[in-house]
Amino acid sequence: MKKTSTLILLAIALLGLQSCNSNDDDQTASILDGTGITLDGDVDCCSAEEALQVYKFLKTVKIIPELSTEVDGKYNVFAYSKTGKFSVGYNEIYFVAVKKGTGNYVKNFDVTNLSPLMTMTAMNMKHSTPVGSSVDSFNDKYLAVKRGWVSFLMASTDKDFWVLSYDVKVLGHQKTVADASFSVEALPQGQTWLQSFKTGDATYFISLVDPQNYQIGSNSISAYVSKKSNPATQPYVVAEEVFTIEIVPTMPDMGGHSSPGNEALTKQADGTYQGLINLTMTGYWKIDLTVKDKEGNVIAENIHFDVTI
Ligand SMILES: [Cu+2]
């Protein structure tokens, strides 16, 4: 009997090496008493195929060690961005939870209360910045990767610094990451991907999503509109109000010509604003914005994005 158990364990261990399996104590116990375990994957994770997709995805992003954490000595939670850095404007942030020891991914974990905070020492004030409404799986090929976004208002300087706090819960184990320091870089000249406007007492921020992906020709243009919080130290959530953002791209360095086929950004069911922008050649584009309210009244103009492709 002892020998049989050892063989079963050995077989499970070998399967674990090939797939996203785990042989930690809880699972070994459940194997031995015959209660539910699937041999083709870690019960807390995914199929071997899904684990491979996660692994491949993580090769396209870079870890941010200062925002990563450990939970109860059992799990590592790793934070990533596309470049391993953040810059002013819209940035996606990704999270993955892995079991320490096995390195297996955990599919069901939650990241909540993503709260960036800037301290501006010279002005003796603190403020937050626009943040996406939740951190969620976004691709059914790699459910174990969670994505959120933050749009940073300002770059870090020697006097102005950013910290991030968030809560994470992995298989019942809770951790609060408090005030983890990180830095935000300025965008190069010719790139302005964040704008603000006011109406009444409210201040709104428009965050352009991933303009670095624009190519010559017609591009879908995507943005979020967020509302400044009161107090300003709370994350700025996606605005409930509905606006229309008209766009006129021009090339100031080439006689100010525009392009045909641009379409205003309108609010979609998922909370994003979507439109079309036609960038007919490489170079610097100034994108003039006119914001209208639901009734069509102009509430902001003379603001623009800059995009250089
Ligand atoms: Cu600031």
Side-chain angles (χ1 to χ4, degrees):
M1 181 59 201
K2 182 128 196 290
K3 196 173 178 186
T4 312
S5 299
T6 309
L7 281 174
I8 291 171
L9 282 177
L10 185 63
I12 298 292
L14 284 172
L15 277 168
L17 288 176
Q18 293 166 2
S19 64
C20 173
N21 212 323
S22 162
N23 53 359
D24 70 16
D25 294 341
D26 296 346
Q27 288 200 18
T28 306
S30 72
I31 293 157
L32 289 177
D33 70 22
T35 56
I37 178 159
T38 54
L39 292 181
D40 59 349
D42 187 323
V43 288
D44 298 319
C45 180
C46 31
S47 66
E49 174 60 24
E50 282 176 305
L52 182 63
Q53 295 294 341
V54 173
Y55 176 77
K56 282 185 181 165
F57 174 79
L58 294 179
K59 289 211 172 272
T60 69
V61 293
K62 290 213 171 85
I63 196 165
I64 306 173
E66 53 271 47
L67 300 184
S68 301
T69 192
E70 186 188 73
V71 182
D72 280 358
K74 289 178 77 90
Y75 309 104
N76 282 317
V77 174
F78 295 116
Y80 303 82
S81 73
K82 285 195 177 116
T83 61
K85 297 174 178 175
F86 292 117
S87 49
V88 170
Y90 177 92
N91 293 256
E92 292 186 345
I93 179 167
Y94 307 91
F95 293 94
V96 167
V98 302
K99 294 182 174 179
K100 295 191 75 161
T102 65
N104 289 345
Y105 307 118
V106 177
K107 184 149 64 178
N108 293 311
F109 71 103
D110 299 305
V111 174
T112 51
N113 299 323
L114 207 58
S115 303
L117 186 68
M118 180 182 236
T119 299
M120 305 185 74
T121 51
M123 294 177 71
N124 192 26
M125 61 94 78
K126 294 175 192 250
H127 63 84
S128 189
T129 207
V131 177
S133 45
S134 60
V135 178
D136 295 311
S137 299
F138 62 102
N139 184 314
D140 59 12
K141 287 195 175 64
Y142 31 85
L143 291 167
V145 181
K146 314 293 179 190
R147 177 183 66 181
W149 62 265
V150 180
S151 181
F152 295 106
L153 296 186
M154 301 179 184
S156 306
T157 68
D158 50 357
K159 290 200 179 83
D160 305 322
F161 57 90
W162 286 100
V163 293
L164 182 76
S165 302
Y166 65 91
D167 294 329
V168 58
K169 193 171 183 186
V170 189
L171 301 176
H173 296 259
Q174 168 91 31
K175 167 91 178 257
T176 296
V177 173
D179 297 338
S181 295
F182 66 97
S183 73
V184 174
E185 298 183 348
L187 284 175
Q189 187 112 34
Q191 308 281 18
T192 308
W193 300 347
L194 182 76
Q195 267 300 349
S196 66
F197 64 92
K198 284 185 184 202
T199 171
D201 292 337
T203 301
Y204 298 89
F205 295 93
I206 313 173
S207 302
L208 197 52
V209 174
D210 290 344
Q212 69 271 22
N213 296 340
Y214 292 167
Q215 298 187 339
I216 293 179
S218 185
N219 294 268
S220 51
I221 177 171
S222 176
Y224 284 97
V225 177
S226 310
K227 192 174 192 173
K228 187 175 182 180
S229 299
N230 184 13
T233 48
Q234 293 298 309
Y236 306 174
V237 299
V238 171
E240 286 173 9
E241 293 82 351
V242 176
F243 303 105
T244 301
I245 306 167
E246 294 174 353
I247 53 172
V248 180
T250 60
M251 295 196 90
D253 304 333
M254 299 189 70
H257 74 80
S258 187
S259 64
N262 298 289
E263 285 179 17
L265 289 91
T266 54
K267 195 171 188 183
Q268 309 296 306
D270 67 357
T272 60
Y273 282 76
Q274 303 284 349
L276 278 180
I277 186 164
N278 186 12
L279 306 174
T280 49
M281 56 184 72
T282 56
Y284 163 56
W285 288 87
K286 178 169 176 268
I287 305 165
D288 286 311
L289 307 174
T290 303
V291 182
K292 293 182 174 173
D293 66 12
K294 220 166 39 182
E295 286 76 39
N297 305 307
V298 173
I299 53 174
E301 49 193 344
N302 300 321
I303 53 175
H304 66 273
F305 290 131
D306 297 307
V307 171
T308 303
I309 66 167

